[in-house]
Amino acid sequence: MTFNGRRIFFFAVAICAGAAIALADRAESTPQDVFDAMRGSFQPAKAKGVHVRYQWDLSGPHGGEWWIEVNDGTYTMGKGKIPNPNVTFIATDKDWVAICHDQLSGTWAYLTGRLKVRGDQKVARKLGEMFP
């Protein structure tokens, strides 16, 4: 699909797919719950030879900053800012959790400005492969 000459990818849902399944029974989860669930879904084989940094800037009462750094089959994750991220995701805490719960289409959120992705979209999609 294209929008204003740019390709729009369905990466946001893929990024959160594993977290959404793990959190399906939780009535009110937070972004921290999503990131905690992502820890169990990491696929080291999909991250071989990959060296990328991801940043999340989430606003709202449960918002904050989170990051993931992938280095050749391993990853580290934390709160706060990481220097020189390859991709930054910007949304509200509620929208990010809703995307991860498949309650809000990642594509719709992107097209309507509720999800902003700064950086390389190919690298953004790769996150969904490493954390299915």
Side-chain angles (χ1 to χ4, degrees):
M1 174 190 320
T2 60
F3 181 73
N4 289 343
R6 294 180 67 195
R7 287 196 95 172
I8 304 301
F9 299 99
F10 298 92
F11 58 83
V13 173
I15 292 167
C16 299
I21 292 166
L23 296 172
D25 295 332
R26 299 190 76 175
E28 286 199 33
S29 62
T30 65
Q32 186 62 57
D33 295 328
V34 171
F35 289 105
D36 290 345
M38 287 174 70
R39 292 179 191 276
S41 68
F42 182 67
Q43 301 292 310
K46 298 282 186 177
K48 284 289 184 197
V50 177
H51 302 277
V52 296
R53 293 175 174 192
Y54 298 95
Q55 178 74 52
W56 284 263
D57 291 331
L58 305 178
S59 61
H62 296 287
E65 298 170 327
W66 285 264
W67 57 267
I68 295 176
E69 182 173 17
V70 177
N71 279 311
D72 195 24
T74 65
Y75 79 96
T76 53
M77 178 186 290
K79 287 195 78 163
K81 285 216 177 264
I82 192 167
N84 304 314
N86 300 91
V87 176
T88 300
F89 300 99
I90 303 165
T92 68
D93 56 350
K94 290 183 183 203
D95 283 347
W96 183 255
V97 171
I99 290 166
C100 293
H101 279 276
D102 204 21
Q103 296 168 339
L104 173 62
S105 161
T107 300
W108 180 253
Y110 181 83
L111 290 172
T112 59
R114 291 170 70 177
L115 171 65
K116 294 177 180 64
V117 181
R118 300 220 167 95
D120 188 332
Q121 290 194 13
K122 182 178 178 182
V123 172
R125 287 190 318 275
K126 183 70 177 165
L127 183 66
E129 296 173 20
M130 295 182 293
F131 293 87

